[in-house]
Amino acid sequence: AAIESKTSALEKENAETSKVAFYTALTNAGHIGPFNTHIVLKFSKVFTNVGKAYNPSTGFFTAPVKGVYYFQFTLASYLYNFYTAVDVLKNNQRIMYNWELNQFGGHQSFTNSIILELMEGDEIHLSLPAGNTVFDSENNQTTFSGALLFPL
């Protein structure tokens, strides 16, 4: 009986650590940038953070378990003739770069996603490269989300 209860406790602990999902939006501040250096995008509006793996104070997602994770981001812009860009970084190394030039003014946005195999403790964050802008408001046009697809 003692072995069964320890096994049940371990199974429950493993099930809890494999529940990881977050959905965030950037800010209500409107236009951000351009800056002379890159900045970490700290998505401060947290709507879902199951597993508490996303930290809005730092902008970093930290993998709680080894597994395969799905991430998606959308960046919006309004400034005519300005670039909007984003770096996706894993452990501070760029693994993806996306950009768009707002040639017409008005709202423009782009979305991309990535699936990554992460080790426990690996960190993912987004940064705004120097010279670029991004826009967000109470309408949540700039978002970052992710989830553990399955543990390994």
Side-chain angles (χ1 to χ4, degrees):
I3 291 173
E4 286 177 9
S5 69
K6 283 185 179 181
T7 301
S8 293
L10 282 173
E11 286 173 350
K12 183 177 181 188
E13 183 180 322
N14 287 339
E16 290 304 310
T17 59
S18 64
K19 292 179 181 175
V20 180
F22 72 98
Y23 171 70
T24 62
L26 189 60
T27 181
N28 288 341
H31 298 286
I32 311 257
F35 300 104
N36 293 329
T37 185
H38 84 278
I39 63 160
V40 173
L41 292 173
K42 297 176 183 175
F43 290 77
S44 61
K45 298 190 290 183
V46 178
F47 300 102
T48 302
N49 197 5
V50 175
K52 306 287 187 239
Y54 178 76
N55 183 336
S57 300
T58 63
F60 281 65
F61 170 87
T62 304
V65 296
K66 180 181 179 182
V68 176
Y69 292 81
Y70 172 87
F71 298 96
Q72 179 174 294
F73 58 84
T74 297
L75 268 75
S77 69
Y78 271 96
L79 294 178
Y80 170 71
N81 220 22
F82 274 87
Y83 285 95
T84 297
V86 66
D87 287 323
V88 179
L89 296 102
K90 174 184 172 188
N91 299 328
N92 291 314
Q93 298 294 313
R94 184 167 77 178
I95 57 172
M96 181 187 280
Y97 171 75
N98 288 186
W99 63 269
E100 180 176 279
L101 173 62
N102 191 333
Q103 298 177 352
F104 307 105
H107 179 262
Q108 287 190 340
S109 64
F110 63 86
T111 299
N112 207 342
S113 58
I114 188 169
I115 295 175
L116 295 170
E117 182 178 331
L118 300 179
M119 301 298 292
E120 182 179 341
D122 280 349
E123 294 179 324
I124 302 295
H125 74 277
L126 305 183
S127 72
L128 182 68
N132 289 274
T133 68
V134 66
F135 180 87
D136 200 13
S137 70
E138 61 279 352
N139 293 322
N140 305 319
Q141 297 98 326
T142 295
T143 61
F144 179 37
S145 60
L148 173 65
L149 296 177
F150 51 88
L152 294 175

